[in-house]
């Protein structure tokens, strides 16, 4: 959960471009270029060919996939005037979500989370956003993201996005990511409900491990959402947001606050489930002990009594009595009944 | 406990009206229209017919039930000039309580809580309030609310409400909701007192589940009351409240603070009950173990001794002694007495 | 611990006077009227007769006992110009401690706590204070309070109280209440010390219940003292306190901070005692198990061996050996010694 | 740990001088009087004789021991113009550390802590400091303090103290007290290290009690150091400190922050030791249970089998077989081997 | 973990130079002197010889190893005009990380952490930095540090360091130290992952001790990183940083925030592992108890039955029956089957 590959970065000057992730297959640049009346979509464009969009008056969303290609990213950085420290942060996929304002661009890092249904783990991909007047650069580690419906919305001129500038596009990107967080919370909430019934019906050590996995997922989310909330608060306080966009960023800010609320509630509830689990295990141990104690307390003394009359002493008058055997049987029956009354009184069964 | 139906909202532009709740039966608009001297009440009015009340000089409380009718709500939104983001929040029943100020209206979302006596769960219904100079719109998910006595108070011209404006009506609505929170706290407090005696008289795994349910209810309340407190604090700090209303909003603000205090106390106390439960279970296990150990420690050695004299060796001189049998009985009685002294000394019984 | 009788208040307009307490026996107004040179004391005065003291130049302490008499309190409220919301708060004995400034008076609510030695519970009585230039009204639920020595101090002109105004009297009332909190803390501290030795000498389930009762008492105190501290901080920040009184209010403010410190310490210590209790119970279970295991491990195998020679096979050569019996006895003695060495090595006894 | 003797103070006017401590043996005033070139030391001076030092241009450190002598302290208070509330705080040895600025003097209360090696408890003595332009009064409850090396430093003109004013002396006094806190932390840290090895080598109930004592000591320290830190922060923010002294007070402020850090670390670590203890006890119970279960599971079935052939039925063919006895012995040996394999597989030994 | 050797410092005037560490072998001064075009490196230079670099226009990094040599450090302090309190802090290796601004220099203390793979403990070495216009003094306790790659970077003129001033060098030193913190976090994260699988596969008391060691390491890191974050925040707020350096210090500040996030996550996760451990131990005890109870509950009653027919009564008719023996065997088989059904129903196996 903590940074990997950090050894590679040790001792290098700040701004050295080192990719700290694992994915290294695919590099691709694709562009969505639009204004109120025009729309263009280009896939797999060359690095140099993409530069022309920077100063076009249309809004240009340049999406770069594949952070292992440090050369290409360096070229882009140079053309767009991106500070080496920003570039370093883009490539370091362990960067904490944050926003930095520069004279010519704004720089946002955040985490795109997806829920892996098989491993029940949350997977995180870093998305970095560089935006200026008429362009938005997004950097992703690998292909596949949560923006497909946003892209079709732009294509279909759905909502006000085609009438708005690059800032609104940045909002829409963040909103798509945050909306996905709610989807993950739905999964975690389902998990929790399953655990709530499992802990009562068939609690096992696996239940604890699942509770723990859930808690780890909540920790992962918390690590992404708290800095995202700070980021948005900082954005709202800054003078860099257009008056008309404030209401949208405030809306997504509200969502981050709500997500934090839900995460804290889920944490509290999952702690409660652990309490039920532990109580359930000690109750079971109790039950088992009771069974053992009842059986042992009834039969051990009886076995002792029959042992007495199994002794081979030459002189044991009881053995010769005509009703010695039934007498002993009655005696033992009496003892059993007494014991049972005693246990009933103690409410052991 | 977390948002459901979020999948429906994914990728849609902000302000798209999607109802995220379940209730879909009934749609109804009803109006209470009053000033100091006049009072009118209209039930089941048409959407369009309701528009005339917007600019009437009387205070008009327009209550809309049934959020699934997105068409009607869109119409209302258009007529009243409500921002699409506000409308979206009204329909999203998972919205966190909040207040937003717009130029022409103020927008409040909060949670109306009721206690379901059967399931011992708290049920939540979202109430959204839009208010301007002479009108107050309230949006509810389904019929049934906590405002009946408020309505009769208006009808009966009880208190100062008929002499006050729309802002005071908003206060009265919030106050009715918050007063109901105290009612729920009474239920939870009764629960707690029952649990406090149950945990001593007959603790069982169910007790832990009830404690847990109580804690979940407290979490639900906390999720509603903390943002409500923020909301009221923001309202009190804003310039949008008339000087004459401040004292009333401060009163209800005080109540939210008190509710938070009580919730925290109940949480602490319920944690204490769990401690008693766990101690009680380990005490019981202890008692059971003691019984087993006393019985086993007394009778297992005795059984061994009678086993000795049950052996069939040809040469066992004790078996031929005249007083061999009574001697062994005395020996065993001595052992029992010694054991009992030992256990007494150890304070085992 | 939470408000009772709230159902009565539901739906009523704010400022409706509903008494939410239980005590309904006694109603009485008594007055202490003084300045540097004069002193008068009147008991059981009529409501109307008490009004004349409002504008007298002497300091008039009008003490009203019996909140069930809402009529009388309404009259007083009317005469003194008390806002209906203040009157409502006076009658609602679950009001959170607070201070409100009005144009003509200041309004303080706080809790007078006393320790019930028999039930070991803290009892709370609400005291409301309304004060203006030359008068101080105090409202109590029932007779009996912590002000007796304050009254004799006034009578005896002890200290500077007779030379000071109504504000100093308010300070003296609050100080008397806060001083009593220390007395309660002494009781709780004694409790704690008893528990600390009980948990070592004879821990039982009752010990846990006592720890829990102590924690509940601390919660009760906390609920009274935190808002009282806020109240005093607000008072000190306000412009409504005379410069000469500030030092006295700061002194009592310091005390509330100290009380909070002590409460938190006591909480931490009582949690520690619970840890000792739980450790002590598991230690005991451990001891019991050890005894059982030692006895069972020694005698169960022996019983098996004597069982072997109790079998009735026709052909068992050992049974015929001359020294078969003593040989088996030696064998068993050897086994016992081995076992004891094993347990010694494992440090089981 | 909470105030004692509070009953004495109930109902008295503020500023009444009541000593709330226990030590009542010794009263003594001693004086250190110095400037850059002169040094004088007077022991056991009369109250009245000490007054002359107040206005002398040299720095006069007047140390008063024995708070039970309220008369003498009243006289001093009167001469130095000390407010009755300050005098009350000096005598109330349960006063929370604080600083108060008055027109003619500054008033500091703090706690001098020492570690009692025998009882392993921290002992606290209240030190009050009143200082003006050329004098510093210190009030202690009993003889013995941590200032001996400070006194010799003044005598030997070591460091800059002889060249500095009364404020620097106050700093030096506080610094001596705070330096002693580190010494106590060394003791507590040693305790902790012993406990860390004890919990592994020979854990017992005493270990828990020692952990608890350690936690109580940390609570005691926390109660002294947090207000001391506040006090110093307030001092640094105030305008009453000479520019040249700021750096020294900041240094001792840094130390209080560091002490708080260490205390919190020690608390966390001691909680960890408790976890190890509890795990160790449940591990042991586990071990004991395993031994019992292995023995019982092997021998109880065997005892049953030999019991079968101990029955006295007339018709039991096995008893007549020639190899019946060895056959049963082999059968039982087979059972034992099976059991042992089973336990091996389960990794029970 | 707390200061050692504090006894030595007791009572000494502030600014007395006492080294509180253990390492006392090696003293060495080495210098790196550079500007954009020149680079010089001097090892083992004399104290006095090093003074010439103070005012040279090149950036001079003077690295002093060996704090036991208080004399040399006093000389350096005198020449560079370092305040005695700063010198005292340099020698006190328990100093909390902090920054102090003086007129002629800035003073930073921080902790260089390294992970000892053998003991699994974090080792801390204090690094103090004094920097002025053209010089940077670093003080270390012993030889060996994390700056080797920084030195080669300077030598190789890698990055902008050779073009930048002393402030940038300070940044680079802090950055190297902070980068190393990430490396330690990688180790701790690996630890955690091992523990996560160990706790499931073969949990033992050692696992708890390892979890505890991990927690202690996290506490150690927290004690270093929180004040370091404060230090950098203070630096960023101050006017002492060149505009061009701000972005670099902000970058390293971001890292400290991220480290804090990770530490808190690791703490939460390690608490979760402890929960799994405890659950796993009680599950095991449960399993063991179940085995014992099943065996005992089946065989103890059977042993009683065979004991009955082992009695030697003269008159026991069953013993004479022809099918008495097989009848009893069938009876017992029936009992065993019943028991097994009972246990199956209870889901005991
Ligand atoms: Mg990991
Ligand atoms: Mg670096
Ligand atoms: Mg970096
Ligand atoms: Mg960076
Ligand atoms: Mg990261
Ligand atoms: Mg992607
Ligand atoms: Mg959204
Ligand atoms: Mg749910
Ligand atoms: Mg959306
Ligand atoms: Mg919204
Ligand atoms: Mg909702
Ligand atoms: Mg409804
Ligand atoms: Mg209300
Ligand atoms: Mg919340
Ligand atoms: Mg009120
Ligand atoms: Mg109650
Ligand atoms: Mg009401
Ligand atoms: Mg009220
Ligand atoms: Mg009363
Ligand atoms: Mg007082
Ligand atoms: Mg005082
Ligand atoms: Mg005490
Ligand atoms: Mg008093
Ligand atoms: Mg006091
Ligand atoms: Mg002393
Ligand atoms: Mg010091
Ligand atoms: Mg240590
Ligand atoms: Mg010192
Ligand atoms: Mg220092
Ligand atoms: Mg070094
Ligand atoms: Mg770095």
């Amino acid at each position: 959960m903590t940074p990997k590959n950090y050894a590679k970065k040790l001792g290098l000057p700040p701004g050295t471009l080192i990719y700290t992730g694992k994915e290294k297959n695919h590099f691709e640049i694709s562009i969505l270029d639009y204004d109120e009346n025009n729309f263009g979509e280009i896939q797999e464009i060359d690095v140099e060919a993409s530069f022309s969009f920077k100063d076009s008056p249309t809004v240009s969303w340049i999406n770069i996939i594949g952070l292992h290609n440090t050369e290409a990213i360096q070229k882009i950085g140079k053309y767009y005037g991106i500070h080496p420290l920003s570039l370093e942060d883009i490539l370091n996929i362990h960067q904490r979500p944050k926003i930095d304002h520069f004279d010519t661009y704004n720089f946002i890092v955040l985490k795109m989370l997806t829920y892996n249904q098989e491993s029940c783990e949350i997977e995180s991909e870093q998305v970095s956003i560089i935006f200026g007047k008429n362009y938005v650069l997004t950097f992703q580690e690998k292909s596949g993201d949560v923006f497909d419906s946003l892209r079709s919305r732009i294509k279909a001129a759905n909502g006000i996005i085609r009438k708005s500038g690059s800032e609104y596009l940045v909002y829409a990107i963040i909103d798509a990511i945050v909306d996905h967080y709610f989807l993950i919370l739905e999964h975690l909430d389902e998990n929790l409900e399953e655990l709530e019934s499992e802990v009562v019906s068939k609690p096992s050590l696996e239940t604890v491990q699942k509770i723990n996995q859930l808690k780890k997922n909540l920790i992962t989310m918390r690590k992404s959402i708290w800095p995202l909330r700070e980021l948005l608060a900082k954005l709202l306080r800054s003078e860099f947001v257009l008056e008309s966009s404030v209401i949208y960023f405030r809306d997504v800010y509200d969502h981050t606050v709500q997500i934090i609320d839900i995460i804290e509630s889920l944490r509290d509830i999952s702690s409660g489930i652990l309490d039920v689990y532990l109580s359930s295990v000690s109750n079971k141990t109790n039950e088992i002990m009771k069974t053992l104690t009842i059986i042992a307390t009834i039969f051990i003394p009886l076995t002792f009594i029959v042992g007495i009359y199994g002794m081979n002493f030459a002189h044991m008058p009881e053995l010769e009595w005509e009703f010695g055997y039934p007498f002993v049987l009655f005696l033992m029956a009496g003892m059993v009944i007494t014991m049972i009354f005693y246990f009933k009184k103690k409410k052991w069964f």
Side-chain angles (χ1 to χ4, degrees), chain A residues 52-75:
Chain A
S52 60
F53 291 90
K54 191 190 164 203
D55 297 312
S56 66
T58 48
V59 177
S60 310
W61 177 8
I62 299 145
N63 185 32
I64 297 118
I65 290 167
L67 302 180
H68 58 283
N69 191 344
T70 50
E71 255 176 276
I73 285 158
Q74 187 122 38
K75 274 191 214 160

Side-chain angles (χ1 to χ4, degrees), chain A residues 14-258:
Chain A
T16 311
L17 299 192
I18 299 281
Y19 170 55
T20 59
K22 279 190 237 160
E23 302 289 336
K24 298 193 173 173
N25 301 316
H26 186 63
F27 179 80
E28 187 190 331
I29 300 178
S30 56
I31 291 176
L32 242 63
D33 192 65
Y34 65 86
D35 62 13
E36 193 165 359
N37 305 309
N38 306 296
F39 174 82
E41 186 169 9
I42 308 165
Q43 309 248 336
E44 305 200 28
I45 194 176
D46 266 1
V47 173
E48 282 80 8
S50 74
F51 291 163
S52 60
F53 291 90
K54 191 190 164 203
D55 297 312
S56 66
T58 48
V59 177
S60 310
W61 177 8
I62 299 145
N63 185 32
I64 297 118
I65 290 167
L67 302 180
H68 58 283
N69 191 344
T70 50
E71 255 176 276
I73 285 158
Q74 187 122 38
K75 274 191 214 160
I76 296 166
K78 208 169 178 186
Y79 187 82
Y80 282 86
I82 304 172
H83 194 286
L85 283 174
S86 300
L87 286 178
E88 190 190 359
D89 290 344
I90 289 169
L91 294 195
N92 176 11
I93 61 153
H94 306 298
Q95 179 57 42
R96 195 178 185 260
K98 68 159 179 177
I99 185 164
D100 281 337
H101 296 292
F102 289 84
D103 286 344
T104 55
Y105 67 92
N106 292 287
F107 173 45
I108 289 173
V109 185
L110 73 176
K111 303 292 180 185
M112 179 159 67
L113 301 181
T114 42
Y115 185 73
N116 185 327
Q117 300 251 21
E118 270 169 61
S119 66
C120 292
E121 279 178 24
I122 291 174
E123 283 165 7
S124 173
E125 184 182 348
Q126 180 162 307
V127 174
S128 306
I129 304 171
I130 298 271
F131 66 102
K133 202 167 176 327
N134 289 313
Y135 65 90
V136 175
L137 297 169
T138 51
F139 296 86
Q140 305 182 29
E141 200 178 345
K142 54 182 173 182
S143 50
D145 55 34
V146 301
F147 307 133
D148 286 339
S149 45
L150 172 59
R151 286 190 191 94
S152 18
R153 222 161 85 202
I154 297 171
K155 203 166 184 174
N158 209 332
I160 62 167
I161 196 160
R162 287 276 285 274
K163 293 169 211 148
S164 311
S166 63
E167 219 168 33
Y168 188 88
L169 176 59
V170 170
Y171 151 72
I173 289 168
I174 296 176
D175 182 56
I177 287 171
V178 170
D179 277 0
H180 232 80
Y181 284 23
F182 281 106
L183 213 69
I184 295 173
L185 285 177
E186 279 191 46
H187 285 297
L188 299 186
D189 191 57
E190 264 166 47
N191 270 356
L192 198 66
E193 273 166 24
E194 278 166 34
L195 283 170
E196 269 183 327
S197 70
E198 183 179 320
V199 85
V200 173
S201 61
K202 51 174 179 46
S204 72
L205 199 52
E206 243 176 88
T207 317
V208 183
Q209 282 176 288
K210 282 184 199 164
I211 295 171
N212 233 29
Q213 180 57 50
L214 178 61
K215 280 190 178 169
K216 278 177 74 175
N217 282 338
L218 291 170
I219 291 167
T220 304
M221 288 203 75
R222 215 164 39 159
K223 267 172 72 180
S224 300
I225 194 74
W226 274 98
L228 179 53
R229 184 192 170 216
E230 276 173 42
L231 181 169
L232 289 166
K234 197 174 163 191
L235 192 80
L236 284 168
R237 276 196 314 271
S238 74
E239 330 120 58
F240 304 100
V241 194
L242 288 175
E243 192 53 40
S244 64
S245 300
V246 162
I247 191 169
Y248 293 100
F249 282 109
R250 206 169 62 191
D251 189 64
V252 71
Y253 172 79
D254 280 353
H255 291 186
T256 60
V257 175
Q258 190 178 5

